[in-house]
């Protein structure tokens, strides 16, 4: 009889432990300065993130959702415009488009990577297309070159939703650095997670960076004279200070996630499940950062209950594609419109992959899946 102990999907306490003193000292420094909004910590973090992503500019904002919103605003996306994107993503991707009065035009995904199918993008373009918004899902970059090419030939900007892909690499380029703008989230469960909400936009376009900086502070360059209507999209100093410390460890955490993914491959293979009952994530691009380790399985919901009973952390990202969300019913999409996204929503399951995950925990995860399918 094997005794299985609980395995969390994510253990942020394990990450915090070794950094505790360093972070407390830094937080104390910010408290003593009593400078909380933007300020030197945010500016320093922006420089470091621009360098990390290989872009000229970075603008810290209030969340990943606001990063997408403000990037689209800066590109002039508004009522009646169309933005081409994937229906298999976190809600914010589509929500930001609709909040601006624009229309998300969904195209289906590739079944192996769950990323938007680049071959379907061009036929989705119309005269109203104002932007393309690919999402680097689970930490692996979209096949970007055909998208960048198709968009460039029509002068359509590409905005990358890189919320799950900080540090991911596609043909030598970092996630976020390939399009007109790249959007990041520092929600605590992302690979670079703050102690609250936060986000960032990177770009090589100086005009766009300036516009985003302006929109971030209600469109007022200084004082109370407002050139455009923006919002409060500011990143705060405490978040930036914490994120600056965490950024130093990001690549070692990514290496840990990648090692865990490798170990899962070995274990699922040895259990006789890989490619038979459990379809492992396909690595297409240079550097998958495994924000999530997602497998494709049959009987997903029953397996989920089985794992739940054994206290094995797991999650379904995402159980309902955007085109079937009730709040988007007005867009006129229906069941069957994007069969690959709909199949993914039925079959995907995320397993724990965080850097601090221990050997026995990985073994317990695979063992719990094995007892469900009755593998070797
Ligand atoms: C997390 C996430 C967002 C939104 O980020 P928040 O910081 O939570 O607003 C947007 N898109 C994707 C794909 C995400 O995973």
């Amino acid at each position: 009889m094997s005794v299985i102990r609980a395995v969390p999907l994510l253990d942020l306490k394990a990450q915090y432990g070794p950094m505790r003193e360093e972070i407390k000292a830094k937080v104390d420094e910010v408290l003593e300065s009593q400078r909380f909004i933007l300020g030197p910590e945010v500016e320093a973090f922006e420089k470091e993130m621009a360098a990390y992503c290989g872009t000229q500019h970075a603008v810290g904002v209030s969340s990943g959702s606001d990063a997408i919103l403000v990037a689209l605003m800066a590109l002039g996306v508004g009522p009646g415009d169309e933005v081409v994107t994937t229906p298999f993503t976190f809600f914010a991707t589509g929500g930001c488009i609709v909040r601006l009065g624009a229309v998300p035009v969904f195209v289906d995904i590739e079944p192996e990577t769950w990323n938007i199918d680049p071959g379907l993008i061009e036929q989705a373009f119309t005269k109203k297309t104002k932007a393309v918004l690919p999402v680097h899902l689970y930490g692996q970059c979209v096949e970007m070159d055909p998208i960048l090419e198709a968009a460039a030939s029509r002068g359509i900007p590409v905005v990358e939703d890189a919320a799950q892909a900080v540090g991911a690499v596609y043909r030598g380029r970092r996630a976020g650095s390939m399009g007109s703008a790249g959007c990041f989230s520092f929600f605590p469960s992302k690979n670079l997670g703050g102690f609250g909400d936060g986000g960032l936009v990177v770009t090589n376009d100086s005009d766009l960076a300036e516009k985003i900086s302006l929109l971030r502070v209600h469109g007022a360059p200084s004082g109370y004279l407002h050139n455009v209507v923006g919002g409060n999209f500011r990143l705060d100093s405490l978040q930036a200070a914490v994120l600056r410390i965490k950024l130093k460890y990001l690549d070692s955490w990514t290496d840990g996630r990648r090692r865990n993914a490798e170990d899962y491959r070995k274990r699922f293979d040895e259990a006789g499940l890989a490619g038979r009952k459990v379809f492992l994530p396909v690595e297409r691009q240079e550097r998958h950062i495994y924000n999530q380790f997602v497998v494709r399985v049959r009987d997903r919901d029953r397996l989920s209950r089985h794992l739940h009973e054994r206290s094995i952390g797991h999650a379904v990202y995402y159980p309902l594609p955007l085109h079937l969300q009730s709040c988007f019913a007005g867009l006129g999409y229906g069941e069957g419109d994007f069969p690959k996204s709909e199949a993914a929503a039925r079959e995907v399951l995320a397993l724990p992959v965080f850097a601090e995950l221990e050997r026995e925990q990985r073994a317990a995860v695979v063992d719990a899946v094995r007892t469900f399918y009755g593998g070797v």
Side-chain angles (χ1 to χ4, degrees):
M1 283 293 283
S2 60
V3 180
I4 298 170
R5 49 185 178 113
V7 181
L9 181 61
L10 180 62
D11 186 354
L12 287 172
K13 274 193 181 168
Q15 185 192 66
Y16 179 55
M19 296 185 295
R20 182 180 279 110
E21 294 316 315
E22 194 180 0
I23 286 187
K24 281 189 169 167
K26 190 73 193 180
V27 165
D28 199 44
E29 210 181 282
V30 176
L31 295 188
E32 288 305 322
S33 81
Q34 289 291 302
R35 206 76 212 254
F36 295 121
I37 305 294
L38 298 174
E41 289 294 337
V42 171
E43 279 166 35
F45 178 57
E46 288 171 340
K47 282 209 183 74
E48 289 158 8
M49 278 300 290
Y52 185 80
C53 296
T55 59
Q56 275 160 38
H57 309 278
V59 184
V61 296
S62 32
S63 71
S65 303
D66 286 343
I68 300 168
L69 189 73
V70 79
L72 295 179
M73 284 171 82
L75 289 167
V77 171
D81 292 333
E82 293 177 355
V83 178
V84 176
T85 192
T86 167
F88 193 60
T89 176
F90 177 60
F91 180 77
T93 315
C96 291
I97 298 168
V98 173
R99 283 173 69 187
L100 294 171
V103 179
V105 173
F106 295 122
V107 305
D108 214 351
I109 55 171
E110 298 182 307
E112 285 111 38
T113 62
W114 301 291
N115 274 331
I116 194 165
D117 185 339
L120 300 176
I121 300 246
E122 199 148 19
Q123 65 202 61
F125 286 163
T126 72
K127 285 200 187 72
K128 294 182 186 165
T129 309
K130 196 71 185 240
V132 187
L133 183 51
V135 180
H136 306 307
L137 201 67
Y138 306 142
Q140 172 157 249
C141 285
V142 167
E143 181 63 51
M144 286 294 285
D145 278 343
I147 296 176
L148 293 166
E149 236 167 76
S153 72
R154 305 225 189 177
I156 296 169
V158 176
V159 175
E160 299 168 62
D161 181 342
Q164 298 181 9
V166 64
V169 179
Y170 170 79
R171 299 194 185 171
R173 286 163 285 167
R174 286 270 164 119
S177 71
M178 297 174 266
S180 299
C183 305
F184 293 98
S185 163
F186 307 120
F187 185 79
S189 69
K190 305 293 158 107
N191 285 29
L192 181 60
F195 289 0
D197 280 309
L200 184 106
V201 185
V202 294
T203 179
N204 285 313
D205 180 335
S206 313
D207 286 346
L208 200 63
E210 207 171 301
K211 273 186 196 153
I212 291 168
S213 306
L214 192 63
L215 289 166
R216 173 173 73 171
V217 289
H218 285 296
S222 62
Y224 295 96
L225 303 174
H226 301 262
N227 299 350
V228 289
V229 178
N232 172 359
F233 300 131
R234 296 179 299 242
L235 181 64
D236 66 73
S237 311
L238 279 168
Q239 294 308 330
V242 168
L243 290 163
R244 287 186 68 199
I245 293 174
K246 285 197 167 193
L247 180 58
K248 293 189 292 179
Y249 300 98
L250 178 60
D251 281 328
S252 70
W253 293 333
T254 300
D255 291 344
R257 284 170 179 269
R258 290 181 52 80
R259 272 197 303 275
N260 290 339
E262 249 346 276
D263 187 61
Y264 271 138
R265 286 179 200 284
K266 240 184 27 235
R267 288 174 188 275
F268 277 116
D269 202 42
E270 282 164 10
L273 294 168
R276 297 165 53 155
K277 300 287 187 189
V278 177
F279 294 85
L280 300 170
V282 174
E283 277 195 28
R284 279 270 188 76
Q285 309 307 351
E286 231 166 289
R287 194 181 187 225
H288 191 324
I289 62 150
Y290 289 101
N291 177 241
Q292 302 295 344
F293 184 86
V294 174
V295 297
R296 179 193 294 272
V297 291
R298 295 241 175 79
D299 268 339
R300 196 264 322 273
D301 293 341
R302 271 186 49 227
L303 172 60
S304 168
R305 281 194 290 280
H306 178 87
L307 295 178
H308 180 76
E309 282 157 15
R310 283 153 186 79
S311 303
I312 300 293
H314 63 282
V316 173
Y317 307 114
Y318 297 91
L320 191 67
L322 299 192
H323 69 287
L324 300 177
Q325 297 285 347
S326 59
C327 64
F328 291 156
L331 297 173
Y333 290 108
E335 192 112 28
D337 283 348
F338 304 107
K340 286 165 186 148
S341 298
E342 291 166 29
R346 286 190 299 270
E347 297 170 354
V348 293
L349 189 79
L351 299 173
V353 73
F354 60 92
E356 299 79 10
L357 192 70
E358 288 162 18
R359 189 190 154 79
E360 302 76 53
Q361 293 179 306
R362 296 191 297 269
V365 170
V366 175
D367 202 51
V369 176
R370 191 183 51 76
T371 57
F372 178 75
Y373 289 113
V376 291

